Amino acid sequence: MRGRPVLRTISWKPWDPSLLRGLLLALFFLSGALAGHLFAAGCDQDALSRYLQDYCAVYDAGGASVSLLSCVTLYFGYVVGAFLLGFASVGAVLIPALSCGFGFFTMYTISCFVRAYGRAGVLLAMAALVVRLLFTLPCFFAQAGVAWPLSTDLALLVFGRGKRSAPVLYGSRYFLLFTLCVVVLTVGVCCERFLTPLLFRLALGGVYGNVS
């Protein structure tokens, strides 16, 4: 009998829509990762193995490095894409697609290394990707999580509720978040240029048995 008044005093907190958006974006990322894994499984394993082995051999000799332009593109591409799509109604569809693409290419790279080197490929893939993912994943999900509802509201204005919808407002928080992401990703590019080659050569040493 005493339990009922206690239950009546419990108030359920409203569901945070940002949490749901984050979970959906993560689900799109994972679905893209699954597609990347399956796609890598269908590639020519012999040709893929020869390519990665040649690449690793050149990298181990110090002759391979990611250009600054490529590094900037890899770091800023998804975040800038999510930021710009927040200003377009088509972003309601393309932002989830962007999350899928992020997951696809990430897992495709990992799966290629695993197919070429077996379990040791996991170490090589992590050495090649861990620094980049440490910076790009949080920035992308933070930016996409804010941009997606804005683009969805724009889509409702264009295709749905029309004049009944309130105008879409871009507060200073939206631009401050993007500025913060730019700063974080710039630091990430610097870390990528110095740390990733070191980590990759250490992983190669573990694979080939000759720590360089």
Side-chain angles (χ1 to χ4, degrees), residues 8-57:
R8 291 176 182 175
T9 61
I10 297 176
S11 59
W12 294 97
K13 295 182 179 179
W15 180 263
D16 186 0
S18 63
L19 178 60
L20 178 60
R21 288 193 297 269
L23 291 174
L24 288 175
L25 287 172
L27 182 61
F28 286 122
F29 180 89
L30 292 175
S31 64
L34 177 60
H37 174 71
L38 295 176
F39 184 79
C43 294
D44 185 350
Q45 184 172 356
D46 293 335
L48 182 62
S49 298
R50 287 195 301 269
Y51 171 77
L52 288 178
Q53 288 169 2
D54 291 342
Y55 172 79
C56 291

Side-chain angles (χ1 to χ4, degrees), residues 75-132:
Y75 268 75
F76 286 87
Y78 291 104
V79 174
V80 173
F83 173 76
L84 295 178
L85 287 172
F87 296 98
S89 59
V90 72
V93 175
L94 291 186
I95 288 176
L98 196 64
S99 184
C100 282
F102 197 170
F104 176 89
F105 288 108
T106 300
M107 184 54 68
Y108 175 74
T109 302
I110 296 172
S111 297
C112 287
F113 275 106
V114 172
R115 283 173 59 82
Y117 290 93
R119 293 183 179 179
V122 177
L123 181 63
L124 289 173
M126 289 296 99
L129 297 176
V130 65
V131 175
R132 187 194 313 166

Side-chain angles (χ1 to χ4, degrees), residues 119-171:
R119 293 183 179 179
V122 177
L123 181 63
L124 289 173
M126 289 296 99
L129 297 176
V130 65
V131 175
R132 187 194 313 166
L133 294 178
L134 183 64
F135 287 93
T136 56
L137 268 180
C139 289
F140 170 74
F141 281 113
Q143 189 66 60
V146 176
W148 195 16
L150 294 172
S151 62
T152 302
D153 289 342
L154 287 174
L156 291 174
L157 278 173
V158 175
F159 302 106
R161 295 174 296 181
K163 296 181 180 180
R164 296 180 181 179
S165 299
V168 180
L169 301 177
Y170 295 85

